[in-house]
Amino acid sequence: MDPTHQGPEEYGRHSDGADGSDGRRRPSRESGSADFGQPTPQQVRIVQLTVGDLLLTVNPVDGSEVETCPPGSQPDAPVRRTPAERADHERAGAPPVPAGPPAPQLPLLERHQENERLVGLLARGRSVRLTGQAGSGRTALLDAVAADCTDLAPDGVVRLNGHRRTTADLLYGLFDAVHRSPLHRPDPQEMLALVRSIGAVVVIDDLEIGGAALDELLEATPECAFLLGTAPDLTAPGIDAHLEEVLLAGLGRSASLELLEKVVERPLTEDERNWAGDLWFESEGLPLRFVQAGSLLRQRDRLNTDPEAFDEYDYFEPRPGDAPPVPEAPTAETLDVPLPSLGEGAAPAVLLASRLSEAARETLRFTVALGGEVPHQAHLPALVGDTHADAALGELAGCGLLSPAGPRYRLAAGVLAQLEAGGYAESAATHARTAAQHYAWWVSHPSVTPQRAVAEADAIVAAMGRLIPDAEAGQASAAVLLARSAAPALAAGIAWGAWEKALRAGQEAARIAGEVAEEAYFHHELGILALCSGNLDRARTELETSISMRGALADKSGAVAGRRALALVADRSGGLETPVRSQVGDEVPAVRQDLLPGTPSAAFPGPPLFARQTVEEDPTLISSLPATAPRSPAPKTGGGRAVLGGARRNLAAAGAGALLIAVLGTVVTLGLTAGDPEEPGSRNVTTEQSSPEDATDDGSPADEPDDGPAPDDGAPGNEAPTTPGSSESATPTTSGSPSPGPSSPDGSSPGTGEPSGGPSSSTSGGPSPTKTPPKPSQSTSTGPSATPSESESEPEPTPSETTPTETPDPPATSSSASGPTESATATATATATATATATATASADAPAESDDPTEAAA
């Protein structure tokens, strides 16, 4: 056996698997060493949360899913934390202790009066707003007051961070500090009911809300006493808030010099006291300026000291091999470092940073790129590229360049602007891209819990915000990757304020980068967030946008998830409204009539042939109103049924269709006859009889085409043949004055064939009103059908007289027209429409009298 290729038998192992092993390489026990065995597939973290009565499944692949909480899976009611649990929760939310030697504890100078006043107001249950400039020592005073109020309220003291927090974020933070409810987020109504019973002293530092938002916060928690640290330019709440106002001024001259000596840890020289006096006058006694000035003096002392002077006392211990290089020994010129100028003392950030290590300066560049958010000290070695970079946080905190903000640190007031002016923002885009790539890898790692991701939420959101404006440089894709990786973790950590910010930043970055699939994912998540928050309109809009995008991309699984969520939105918003049945008097869609080719639809005016109504007893055929006629309200009836239905409706339709074909033939015949060039002098056209010679050119104006509907005044020219139910027949008048028309005994109006009070079938600007022709047994003929002797004995009609024309037998219609061809066609068209309407009415009244449609129409 080749000694260079030793098998497992050389180490007491068998490759055949007889000992129960599979023969593969055993993984290394060292977590940092490389594992060349088969890689374990990364598990997708799917977290289920309950939001009110909804079950939210955070799925990082296709998008989150939400459904109604199944029976038996409702979460337990939130329980209050014990004092020990509240203390542990508060320690977990405190910023980490910086690496390196501990910073000196500074006393609270000239603040005893303010401290006693604040404690007294809070003890009486009053809420106070502590207003002071940035760097005036608000945080130190709030810490001292919170330590003195631990026993004032039953739920103790709750510390919250108001930096970039909304009212909803603060309310849920208060709920989480007092109640324990893992993987459960109550809905807004339940949350408001729970926080109303909380009795605690709530201390909020760096509050950024005011006005109506602050009023909402105070109204939602009537049993809490608030101590709010705000800036002077913040909008004050309303008068009904009953909020006390306490102004925080700067320190006096003596207190400022005392604070400076505490920072330097030695007495001040005469030159230093004079320099500190000028600084007090310029800075108005802000404590932060003297803390930073003391750091400048300590750096000056370090530079003026020769390191070799302590070698004989073995002051310096042997340095390890991987430690940073030893700084250069000071020369005679560098030992005498002068005091900083007054300008450097008022804005000392750049000078302080220049005297720090390279890792600290690189940390400041990352902090400036993130908008003042300092990464956690555990991320600094990977970001900076130095294994000892975690000590940089202690250097920055000791110089007064950092201030605590919730569970992390931020740059102190005014430091960001000073560093940007000093050139630390020149490579901000590059540093932001590096931070985004690091956070995207880190937050996707299975070992990172959602709570750890929530602690870095401000830095993650700040990295995305820096990359989006630099989309021209190709930075948008890095922002999309970070938002895609961090959004599920923030949702699982129930930090929904940061979740929404990440989703909106990712959606904007995906739109700029042109990544449609990722943009659809962000729209889907925003819809899920809106649905869980109770904003159904926004949820519907976002989900519909996501579904349309995923449909265009053929993403079936994502589209299905979106449709499920959209169905839940429709269910919670009440679903689709039930269509309302049209009532009596409303417009009813007419039956579609297929016209012959080339026949204009305007040639067949009038109401639809068939209509439906809903009545309980004695149904009567009611035609629908035209579009221009006003509709009168009708009482709502129930249990309606159609008047014409089944075979009877089909019989009526067949009869109307047959008669319509006959009428169309008549119209064509009239048009051809009127336009015949062989009879240029003939103007009266009939289908059966020819007009007498003396009536050809009578010049009667009543035969001219009418421009609109004739007035219903009972004139002889406007009256129509009586209905079949009428006992009188139409008789022409021979006198020179018009006589009133006959009145039908059934209540019909003169000149119309419809009962009075019924819906009118004429429209404004259309042809003349429809006339119902009489039955053949009741028709009387005058005019062209009279004998020659009667025609000669009658006087010639005056222009004010009209001669009605009777139709002998349908469908052969007789009409007189003294105008051109268009007048004859219009008259025949009106007659055809009236005949079709009468046919529908007769067929509806007696549908079983005859099987022949023509006979039924007659």
Side-chain angles (χ1 to χ4, degrees):
M1 187 176 185
D2 190 356
T4 60
H5 296 83
Q6 297 179 353
E9 295 83 359
E10 298 293 329
Y11 302 96
R13 296 182 56 195
H14 301 279
S15 60
D16 55 356
D19 57 348
S21 62
D22 54 0
R24 290 181 293 183
R25 181 179 179 272
R26 179 180 298 176
S28 175
R29 294 183 178 179
E30 298 181 4
S31 59
S33 62
D35 188 4
F36 299 98
Q38 294 184 358
T40 303
Q42 183 175 355
Q43 300 294 331
V44 178
R45 293 184 300 180
I46 297 180
V47 181
Q48 284 190 341
L49 307 173
T50 53
V51 185
D53 60 342
L54 297 177
L55 179 62
L56 174 63
T57 303
V58 181
N59 185 0
V61 180
D62 298 326
S64 301
E65 299 181 3
V66 61
E67 60 181 344
T68 304
C69 197
S73 60
Q74 286 82 3
D76 298 334
V79 296
R80 290 182 179 268
R81 299 180 186 271
T82 61
E85 293 176 345
R86 289 199 305 266
D88 294 340
H89 184 270
E90 184 178 358
R91 281 193 297 268
V97 178
Q105 297 294 328
L106 301 178
L108 190 64
L109 302 176
E110 290 188 356
R111 300 302 188 194
H112 300 289
Q113 183 178 359
E114 290 84 355
N115 188 6
E116 293 178 358
R117 182 183 178 186
L118 292 175
V119 173
L121 290 174
L122 293 175
R124 295 196 300 268
R126 304 296 298 272
S127 296
V128 189
R129 190 171 77 149
L130 181 63
T131 304
Q133 298 182 9
S136 59
R138 292 196 316 256
T139 303
L141 181 57
L142 291 178
D143 293 340
V145 173
D148 296 338
C149 297
T150 54
D151 299 332
L152 292 181
D155 291 324
V157 178
V158 177
R159 299 292 305 271
L160 298 177
N161 177 31
H163 177 63
R164 297 178 181 177
R165 299 295 188 270
T166 62
T167 302
D169 296 336
L170 294 174
L171 288 176
Y172 276 103
L174 176 60
F175 163 78
D176 184 63
V178 178
H179 295 84
R180 183 178 70 256
S181 58
L183 301 179
H184 173 63
R185 178 185 174 95
D187 55 11
Q189 292 75 17
E190 182 183 358
M191 184 268 301
L192 290 177
L194 290 172
V195 297
R196 288 185 67 87
S197 62
I198 296 177
V201 176
V202 183
V203 180
I204 305 178
D205 194 9
D206 297 330
L207 184 67
E208 296 182 356
I209 61 173
L214 184 55
D215 291 338
E216 181 183 356
L217 175 63
L218 298 176
E219 291 176 1
T221 55
E223 301 297 330
C224 293
F226 285 87
L227 178 57
L228 310 174
T230 63
D233 55 350
L234 193 65
T235 305
I239 301 177
D240 298 335
H242 302 290
L243 196 65
E244 298 288 340
E245 189 82 16
V246 176
L247 298 178
L248 189 62
L251 300 177
R253 179 186 178 91
S254 59
S256 300
L257 296 180
E258 183 181 356
L259 178 61
L260 185 60
E261 291 180 351
K262 294 292 183 180
V263 176
V264 180
E265 297 180 339
R266 63 173 179 82
L268 298 178
T269 62
E270 187 65 24
D271 295 339
E272 293 174 345
R273 296 182 69 89
N274 295 333
W275 176 77
D278 297 338
L279 180 63
W280 173 84
F281 181 80
E282 192 276 335
S283 64
E284 299 180 356
L286 294 179
L288 178 63
R289 295 288 181 266
F290 288 91
V291 173
Q292 296 172 348
S295 301
L296 287 176
L297 295 181
R298 284 193 287 108
Q299 288 181 347
R300 177 174 175 267
D301 294 342
R302 191 179 304 112
L303 293 175
N304 288 332
T305 301
D306 185 6
E308 298 179 357
F310 301 94
D311 285 349
E312 56 181 339
Y313 301 104
D314 295 333
Y315 183 80
F316 294 102
E317 298 179 357
R319 298 173 60 85
D322 56 349
V326 179
E328 297 181 0
T331 60
E333 293 79 7
T334 59
L335 285 177
D336 189 11
V337 178
L339 285 171
S341 62
L342 185 60
E344 293 174 342
V350 178
L351 181 60
L352 286 172
S354 63
R355 297 173 177 177
L356 298 178
S357 63
E358 180 61 28
R361 290 194 295 270
E362 189 69 12
T363 301
L364 287 178
R365 294 186 181 93
F366 277 101
T367 304
V368 171
L370 298 180
E373 302 293 339
V374 182
H376 193 274
Q377 58 185 358
H379 299 279
L380 294 179
L383 291 174
V384 176
D386 187 356
T387 55
H388 296 275
D390 54 345
L393 187 66
E395 295 184 51
L396 298 176
C399 295
L401 297 179
L402 303 182
S403 62
R408 34 202 328 277
Y409 288 94
R410 297 187 72 254
L411 288 179
V415 175
L416 178 61
Q418 298 175 26
L419 293 177
E420 289 178 346
Y424 280 81
E426 295 178 356
S427 58
T430 304
H431 285 81
R433 185 187 182 108
T434 303
Q437 293 174 346
H438 167 75
Y439 279 123
W441 164 83
W442 174 76
V443 78
S444 301
H445 199 274
S447 62
V448 179
T449 61
Q451 287 72 24
R452 294 179 60 188
V454 169
E456 291 294 309
D458 292 338
I460 292 173
V461 173
M464 290 184 286
R466 171 68 71 173
L467 291 175
I468 292 177
D470 300 332
E472 295 79 4
Q475 308 288 348
S477 298
V480 173
L481 177 62
L482 177 57
R484 190 69 168 81
S485 304
L490 297 177
I494 321 182
W496 285 13
W499 184 27
E500 182 178 4
K501 294 177 183 178
L503 291 177
R504 296 197 180 280
Q507 184 268 330
E508 179 66 17
R511 184 189 62 82
I512 296 175
E515 301 182 13
V516 182
E518 302 300 337
E519 185 178 0
Y521 168 82
F522 292 123
H523 278 296
H524 175 85
E525 294 295 292
L526 286 171
I528 295 296
L529 174 60
L531 173 59
C532 296
S533 301
N535 193 348
L536 300 181
D537 294 336
R538 174 58 65 88
R540 184 181 297 105
T541 302
E542 298 288 352
L543 289 173
E544 288 176 352
T545 304
S546 174
I547 292 172
S548 61
M549 287 183 174
R550 287 177 166 178
L553 296 173
D555 185 2
K556 295 183 180 179
S557 58
V560 168
R563 291 191 192 99
R564 290 176 179 172
L566 189 61
L568 183 58
V569 171
D571 179 70
R572 297 181 75 87
S573 60
L576 300 178
E577 296 182 1
T578 306
V580 180
R581 180 189 292 268
S582 59
Q583 304 298 331
V584 176
D586 295 342
E587 293 186 9
V588 182
V591 178
R592 178 180 177 182
Q593 303 176 6
D594 296 331
L595 303 179
L596 296 177
T599 305
S601 60
F604 296 90
L609 295 180
F610 305 103
R612 298 174 64 94
Q613 72 169 358
T614 56
V615 295
E616 294 183 357
E617 296 180 357
D618 298 334
T620 306
L621 181 63
I622 297 178
S623 301
S624 64
L625 293 177
T628 58
R631 293 181 291 182
S632 59
K636 185 176 180 181
T637 59
R641 58 186 178 90
V643 176
L644 298 179
R648 304 179 65 160
R649 183 186 303 174
N650 298 335
L651 179 61
L659 183 58
L660 181 60
I661 295 175
V663 171
L664 290 176
T666 304
V667 173
V668 175
T669 305
L670 289 174
L672 294 177
T673 307
D676 191 0
E678 295 180 0
E679 298 178 4
S682 178
R683 297 178 63 184
N684 297 332
V685 181
T686 59
T687 57
E688 292 182 352
Q689 303 175 9
S690 61
S691 175
E693 192 68 22
D694 56 345
T696 303
D697 295 323
D698 54 358
S700 177
D703 295 334
E704 294 294 329
D706 199 355
D707 294 335
D712 190 6
D713 55 357
N718 296 333
E719 64 183 9
T722 59
T723 57
S726 177
S727 61
E728 298 180 10
S729 61
T731 305
T733 59
T734 58
S735 61
S737 62
S739 60
S743 177
S744 300
D746 57 351
S748 60
S749 300
T752 60
E754 299 174 356
S756 62
S760 175
S761 61
S762 62
T763 57
S764 176
S768 59
T770 305
K771 301 177 181 180
T772 305
K775 293 186 179 180
S777 60
Q778 298 178 355
S779 63
T780 58
S781 177
T782 60
S785 61
T787 58
S789 61
E790 295 176 355
S791 300
E792 293 175 358
S793 63
E794 293 178 357
E796 295 181 1
T798 61
S800 62
E801 297 176 352
T802 58
T803 304
T805 303
E806 280 302 311
T807 302
D809 294 323
T813 306
S814 174
S815 178
S816 174
S818 59
T821 306
E822 291 80 358
S823 301
T825 305
T827 306
T829 302
T831 306
T833 306
T835 306
T837 306
T839 303
T841 307
S843 301
D845 293 339
E849 292 179 359
S850 176
D851 297 334
D852 189 5
T854 307
E855 296 178 4

